[in-house]
């Protein structure tokens, strides 16, 4: 039996016409007030015919009117991390007179496909797809039939807009807090080096060291596996050297918690003998440690609010940037 051919999507039309998917959506759905130039409109229609695009009836009917309901597909509701993203989105939606319909995601393709299909059935204006960690995702074809914005993640196979934290800035802020305190021998306990957060935070660390004229010592850079146990083991490796660091930048708060144990186990004082800075500002960890952890807060609330603003702008016929990067903030406490 011959393999079933994949139906053409708006993303296919956008590539053929060399315009954004949002422009394609406005043209094919005759969205009022979109102010698309006639030449662009003809180009999109010709591309749609060329690739054999057939509109989804539910999505087309939805696009003709505003419902005041946004969708959110997210793994955050199944875990304790990054919940501020959901809260920020809900608050911003309420300010705009809208509500959010939330469905849990596991990140599995079939679960996400069903979630987007359900969003179409409930006639949401658009969907926010949010993850608890910064990573690349692959969204189902249904995501291309609705205005969709990604939060804390990106899909490089599409032109779907994404709102992301500035991971390099997080590394800069954390490392600079240590250099400003006079430290020059600074260890880094990093995340899995293949993920975007690890790459960005390490770049920030290296940037500040370079600005301070401190040569990069790669032996001071170790991987902690994102867990407290991994942070403990990595900190032990650093502290048991003949020339241990006077400060440690931990790329998340959980690893910092493990580093605290390693420091105290050796009769040293956190902040007094070895300074520590984390990332995430997980309140249950950062404010609960003794001494309280200096850390970098990721902009979870702003991610949620920005996602709603992006969907609202798309519904009103405006283009939104493919990548929006939001600032992080240092939360100074007593460990550095």
């Amino acid at each position: 039996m011959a393999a079933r051919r994949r139906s053409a999507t708006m993303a296919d039309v956008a590539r053929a016409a060399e315009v954004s998917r949002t422009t394609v959506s406005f043209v094919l759905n005759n969205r009022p007030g979109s102010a698309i130039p006639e030449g662009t409109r003809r180009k999109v229609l010709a591309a749609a015919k060329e690739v054999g695009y057939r509109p989804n009836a539910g999505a087309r009917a939805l696009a003709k009117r505003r419902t005041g309901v946004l969708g959110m597909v997210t793994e955050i509701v199944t875990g304790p991390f990054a919940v501020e993203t959901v809260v920020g989105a809900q608050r911003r939606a309420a300010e705009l007179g809208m509500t959010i319909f939330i469905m849990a995601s596991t990140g599995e393709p079939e679960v996400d496909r069903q979630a987007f299909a359900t969003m179409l059935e409930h006639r949401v204006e658009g969907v926010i797809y949010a993850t608890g960690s910064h990573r690349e995702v692959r969204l189902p074809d249904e995501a291309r039939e609705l205005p969709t914005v990604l939060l804390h993640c990106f899909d490089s196979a599409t032109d779907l807009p994404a709102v992301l934290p500035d991971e390099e800035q997080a590394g800069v802020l954390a490392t600079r807090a240590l250099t400003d305190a006079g430290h020059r021998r600074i260890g880094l306990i990093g995340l899995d080096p293949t993920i975007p957060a690890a790459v960005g935070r390490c770049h920030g660390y290296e940037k500040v060291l370079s600005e301070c004229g401190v040569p990069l010592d790669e032996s001071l850079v170790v991987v902690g596996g994102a867990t407290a146990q991994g942070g403990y083991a990595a900190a032990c490796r650093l502290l048991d050297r003949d020339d241990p660091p006077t400060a440690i930048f931990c790329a998340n708060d959980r690893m910092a918690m493990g580093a605290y144990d390693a420091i105290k186990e050796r009769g040293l004082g956190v902040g007094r003998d070895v300074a520590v800075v984390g990332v995430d500002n997980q309140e249950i960890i950062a404010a609960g440690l003794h001494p309280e952890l200096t850390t970098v807060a990721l902009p979870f609330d702003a991610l949620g609010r920005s996602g709603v603003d992006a969907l609202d702008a798309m519904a009103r016929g405006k283009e939104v940037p493919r990548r929006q990067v939001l600032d992080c903030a240092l939360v100074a406490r007593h460990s550095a």
Side-chain angles (χ1 to χ4, degrees), residues 125-310:
E125 289 189 20
V127 176
I128 293 170
Y129 186 90
T131 57
S133 62
H134 185 173
R135 66 179 187 271
E136 183 166 9
V137 296
R138 285 288 180 268
L139 294 190
D141 289 343
E142 285 79 1
R144 296 153 179 80
E145 302 303 319
L146 279 169
T148 300
V149 175
L150 307 179
L151 300 186
H152 212 187
C153 58
F154 60 96
D155 184 348
S156 58
T158 73
D159 63 351
L160 296 174
V163 187
L164 305 166
D166 190 335
E167 301 288 6
E168 181 171 320
Q169 184 199 33
V172 166
L173 291 172
T175 310
R176 189 168 287 152
L178 296 170
T179 58
D180 285 351
H183 297 280
R184 291 297 180 269
R185 188 159 181 78
I186 301 170
L188 168 62
I189 300 178
L191 301 165
D192 178 343
T194 65
I195 65 174
V199 174
R201 294 172 198 183
C202 186
H203 283 170
Y205 164 80
E206 293 175 357
K207 181 178 181 179
V208 173
L209 292 183
S210 177
E211 290 173 351
C212 294
V214 178
L216 175 64
D217 183 346
E218 294 186 357
S219 69
L220 291 178
V221 179
V222 293
V223 176
T227 66
Q229 293 86 348
Y232 168 80
C236 288
R237 288 174 56 191
L238 292 173
L239 295 171
D240 289 343
R241 297 166 54 104
D242 292 334
D243 51 353
T246 63
I248 301 176
F249 164 31
C250 298
N252 74 11
D253 290 349
R254 282 172 289 177
M255 293 191 297
M257 181 166 60
Y260 267 50
D261 289 341
I263 292 167
K264 293 178 180 179
E265 189 175 76
R266 284 154 179 76
L268 303 172
V270 175
R272 184 187 72 238
D273 300 308
V274 183
V276 179
V277 174
V279 177
D280 287 336
N281 195 33
Q282 285 189 266
E283 285 295 325
I284 194 170
I285 296 175
L289 290 172
H290 300 285
E292 294 183 352
L293 177 67
T294 292
T295 186
V296 176
L298 297 179
F300 291 125
D301 181 83
L303 285 172
R305 297 179 69 87
S306 296
V308 171
D309 284 338

